[in-house]
Amino acid sequence: MVKKLSATSLLLLCVFSGLFAQGIIQSRQYPQNFFRYPLDLSPVTAGTFGELRPNHFHSGLDFKTNQTTGYPVHAAADGYVSRLRVEYGGFGHAIYITHPNGYTTVYGHIEKFSPEMERLIRDTQYKKQNFEVDFKLQPRVVQVCQGDIIALSGNAGASEGPHLHFEIRDTKTEETINPQLFGLTIPDKIPPTIYAIGIYRLGSEPFSEQTPRQFLGVSGANGHYHLTKPQVINVSGQTGFGITANDVTSASPNHNGIYSVEEKVDGKTVYTFTIERFAFDQTHAINAYIDYPEFLRTRRFVQKCFIPPGSKITLYPQSVNRGVINFNDDALHEVQYIVKDVAGNTSTLNISVKSTPETGTAHLSNGAGTLFRYNQVNQFSNAKVKVIVPQGNLYDDINFTYAMLPQRPGTYSAVHRIHNRYTTINDTYELWIKPDSTIGKYTNKAVILNTDGVCENTTYEDGYLKAKPRTFGDYFVKVDTVAPVIMPINIKNGAILKKARGIFCRISDNLSGVKSFSAKIDGVWVLMIRDYKTKILTYNFDGLSPGKHQFELIVTDNKDNTTRFTAGFIR
């Protein structure tokens, strides 16, 4: 039968029932009519807060800009610019404004900063002789009023098209919060869409890629959904459920994330998920929230309605027994999904399950491999490899497995299968690999990489190559002695660039990745802007005098292999 609710659980249910009366679940109220929209365009989003993305929850609202750049970006409220950032990927160019009410707004992927901020950034870039800069400012350096134009919208960094990424963060904790809870709403009268459900027959085992799972299609519209093929689902023992759902707004056909999922069994809430706010050190835990093995296999997001014991994210305001239901009473039970968007539009789905007594399954400790506990430090080692997983990095107990696979040509170790790629972890772990003796003098050029081509930052110490990967999988050792490639686009020795607006080069590296680049004209460092999408470096002729000049570009990878390009040109 369904596990009985404790007094504490009943209290939680009462608290959250009160919050449901307001339409959506919130842990607190946020100031209304304080922030304005950052653009003067009608609010239309390409991405919503908390939307499911590969390896992270989306941390803000992506406001559409009519597929173009250059729209004025306004300060959402009075405050001061507390941080400026220029990076190769990520937000590209970003502004952080701290406000007197305890919140900070963030504006990402912008094309151009205001002249005052542009000057501060350029001064810092030249002082540090680096394109990438990230620095904080004191309150009186750049003050802004609500509505001031602080930038022009753009497409910088790791964006997939022109838009403005906008966040509201708690200044003290740096948690990011759903901006629509502050009244910056997007027109929406359309309830979420439910596509499928999942049933996970957990038994006495932790969830893994081997967990028996069943997916059933769902049909319906306008908030009312049902199984495409009506049936009573047989369940037994410890069982978890999942759901595939998304949302669209009235302003855009983009498929966005939902706000909350509530699961009820026989009318009692046993699980609640809500995307109200989260900390950035929790965002990788999306892989514990979703059915990660299913995502790797099909790229489909199935949102599990049960919580791994090692999860620390703040997106589960309430659950009973972590959402795991013990069905063992030979009875019929009703399971209900309640899915909402942040506007309060609601979709529901009811299914019937037939409970039968559990027949029993083998306990985890009896399985193959080495038992790793989620709540302690775990280690595995042999003559060739060592693995150290810090406490708190596993979301659940696992039977850690290891295998040594055949060595690949041109490598300096066997392929070491470190458990499997289907088991997600919260942060990095230590991986030590002993390279072959044939590596000789190249230990300082050696890297650990996996069979997906991901190269880890690697050091050599005490006979081992050491790295800190974020995923389990197949790893081996390779040597990087190849320098980066510089491909001049419009510059060569003797080039006449009188009508050109700048100098353009494309740079790349075949293995460890570009670590740094430095350009000089006539021996003086100059700023080259690196574009994430095109991989092109650009030097804009900012006041360069006419005549003959000497250009030099040096590019270094993460194993200190260096390429130097020089050319004389006429401006």
Side-chain angles (χ1 to χ4, degrees):
M1 62 180 178
V2 179
K3 189 171 182 178
K4 292 184 178 180
L5 302 181
S6 66
T8 302
S9 299
L10 287 171
L11 178 60
L12 280 169
L13 288 177
C14 291
V15 171
F16 285 98
S17 294
L19 292 172
F20 265 121
Q22 302 172 30
I24 62 170
I25 305 169
Q26 291 179 240
S27 66
R28 68 202 76 181
Q29 295 298 313
Y30 298 96
Q32 305 294 300
N33 303 315
F34 185 87
F35 296 109
R36 60 155 284 170
Y37 292 95
L39 299 169
D40 286 334
L41 302 172
S42 298
V44 180
T45 53
T48 54
F49 182 84
E51 190 171 292
L52 308 181
R53 303 280 179 90
N55 295 313
H56 69 285
F57 294 101
H58 188 235
S59 58
L61 292 178
D62 285 346
F63 286 103
K64 288 188 176 185
T65 56
N66 294 324
Q67 299 181 341
T68 189
T69 64
Y71 284 99
V73 178
H74 301 271
D78 294 355
Y80 70 93
V81 176
S82 53
R83 181 182 175 188
L84 292 170
R85 185 174 187 178
V86 174
E87 59 181 333
Y88 171 55
F91 291 157
H93 303 159
I95 300 171
Y96 299 70
I97 298 178
T98 296
H99 306 281
N101 64 341
Y103 298 99
T104 295
T105 51
V106 182
Y107 314 75
H109 304 305
I110 62 176
E111 180 177 69
K112 188 176 180 62
F113 297 91
S114 73
E116 186 176 10
M117 286 182 261
E118 195 79 46
R119 184 173 62 253
L120 287 169
I121 290 168
R122 189 61 55 91
D123 289 347
T124 304
Q125 288 172 322
Y126 271 86
K127 180 180 179 180
K128 295 181 179 294
Q129 294 192 358
N130 200 331
F131 163 65
E132 292 193 301
V133 292
D134 183 0
F135 57 98
K136 296 182 178 180
L137 287 79
Q138 294 300 313
R140 295 188 180 276
V141 176
V142 182
Q143 295 182 326
V144 296
C145 295
Q146 186 178 60
D148 284 353
I149 296 175
I150 58 173
L152 298 180
S153 68
N155 190 25
S159 64
E160 296 183 359
H163 70 277
L164 175 69
H165 177 91
F166 177 75
E167 297 180 13
I168 300 180
R169 299 184 184 181
D170 184 309
T171 302
K172 184 176 181 179
T173 67
E174 296 190 359
E175 289 178 303
T176 185
I177 309 166
N178 197 321
Q180 294 200 62
L181 300 179
F182 291 82
L184 300 182
T185 57
I186 309 301
D188 187 4
K189 295 183 179 180
I190 304 171
T193 301
I194 303 175
Y195 296 96
I197 62 165
I199 300 94
Y200 297 87
R201 294 171 171 85
L202 301 169
S204 59
E205 301 285 341
F207 169 81
S208 75
E209 76 282 358
Q210 298 177 353
T211 298
R213 42 174 59 73
Q214 177 184 10
F215 299 114
L216 299 173
V218 169
S219 301
N222 301 319
H224 303 286
Y225 289 87
H226 55 84
L227 292 179
T228 301
K229 181 181 178 181
Q231 60 186 287
V232 175
I233 304 164
N234 292 320
V235 292
S236 177
Q238 301 287 332
T239 304
F241 295 92
I243 192 168
T244 299
N246 62 27
D247 186 50
V248 299
T249 67
S250 299
S252 168
N254 288 66
H255 286 184
N256 298 142
I258 60 174
Y259 179 77
S260 67
V261 179
E262 182 190 14
E263 180 187 299
K264 293 184 176 184
V265 177
D266 297 333
K268 296 179 180 179
T269 301
V270 297
Y271 166 90
T272 306
F273 168 88
T274 179
I275 196 74
E276 178 184 353
R277 59 193 288 156
F278 61 86
F280 284 94
D281 62 359
Q282 300 172 349
T283 190
H284 195 246
I286 185 176
N287 292 335
Y289 169 60
I290 64 172
D291 182 343
Y292 188 61
E294 179 68 12
F295 175 75
L296 290 184
R297 287 188 285 248
T298 68
R299 309 307 290 181
R300 175 172 62 164
F301 286 110
V302 181
Q303 299 167 241
K304 299 190 321 235
C305 298
F306 56 98
I307 307 167
S311 179
K312 298 180 177 65
I313 58 174
T314 55
L315 303 178
Y316 304 115
Q318 173 274 331
S319 72
V320 177
N321 194 35
R322 298 185 291 105
V324 177
I325 315 302
N326 186 21
F327 292 106
N328 59 8
D329 59 359
D330 196 25
L332 194 67
H333 297 275
E334 296 299 320
V335 178
Q336 183 182 46
Y337 297 88
I338 302 171
V339 183
K340 296 192 177 190
D341 58 29
V342 73
N345 301 303
T346 303
S347 293
T348 60
L349 167 68
N350 295 285
I351 62 173
S352 298
V353 300
K354 178 65 168 62
S355 173
T356 57
E358 187 176 13
T359 57
T361 57
H363 192 269
L364 177 69
S365 60
N366 296 327
T370 303
L371 179 62
F372 276 19
R373 298 289 189 186
Y374 76 90
N375 57 357
Q376 65 185 38
V377 177
N378 296 280
Q379 296 189 26
F380 171 87
S381 63
N382 59 28
K384 295 292 186 179
V385 70
K386 185 172 184 177
V387 176
I388 306 170
V389 182
Q391 181 177 347
N393 265 12
L394 294 176
Y395 294 108
D396 209 336
D397 296 344
I398 64 172
N399 274 319
F400 178 83
T401 57
Y402 165 82
M404 188 165 66
L405 307 179
Q407 188 165 345
R408 297 183 170 195
T411 65
Y412 290 85
S413 75
V415 176
H416 299 278
R417 176 156 291 173
I418 309 302
H419 197 57
N420 66 67
R421 68 190 189 104
Y422 295 112
T423 300
T424 184
I425 60 173
N426 185 55
D427 206 340
T428 61
Y429 65 96
E430 294 185 44
L431 174 60
W432 302 8
I433 297 179
K434 188 179 287 294
D436 294 349
S437 59
T438 56
I439 200 168
K441 64 181 180 179
Y442 293 114
T443 52
N444 66 324
K445 300 293 186 181
V447 293
I448 292 175
L449 68 157
N450 66 20
T451 50
D452 290 330
V454 177
C455 187
E456 303 291 343
N457 184 26
T458 306
T459 58
Y460 181 76
E461 183 181 3
D462 300 329
Y464 284 92
L465 290 163
K466 301 180 178 181
K468 291 186 175 182
R470 292 187 68 96
T471 60
F472 294 134
D474 296 351
Y475 289 88
F476 60 95
V477 174
K478 200 168 183 179
V479 165
D480 184 3
T481 58
V482 179
V485 174
I486 299 175
M487 295 179 61
I489 295 176
N490 72 331
I491 179 75
K492 62 181 180 179
N493 199 37
I496 298 176
L497 303 178
K498 292 182 179 180
K499 294 183 178 181
R501 64 178 179 86
I503 294 174
F504 308 96
C505 298
R506 181 178 282 111
I507 63 174
S508 62
D509 186 73
N510 74 321
L511 189 55
S512 62
V514 172
K515 179 174 70 174
S516 65
F517 59 90
S518 178
K520 293 181 179 180
I521 292 182
D522 302 330
V524 178
W525 187 88
V526 294
L527 173 66
M528 294 200 81
I529 298 167
R530 188 182 183 193
D531 184 80
Y532 181 83
K533 301 170 189 65
T534 64
K535 318 302 179 189
I536 291 176
L537 293 179
T538 300
Y539 166 67
N540 294 310
F541 288 136
D542 296 329
L544 186 68
S545 61
K548 294 183 178 180
H549 298 279
Q550 187 73 15
F551 173 74
E552 178 186 54
L553 175 62
I554 297 174
V555 182
T556 304
D557 68 17
N558 283 292
K559 284 298 163 181
D560 294 324
N561 302 300
T562 298
T563 297
R564 180 173 178 267
F565 171 82
T566 60
F569 68 95
I570 298 175
R571 171 64 175 152

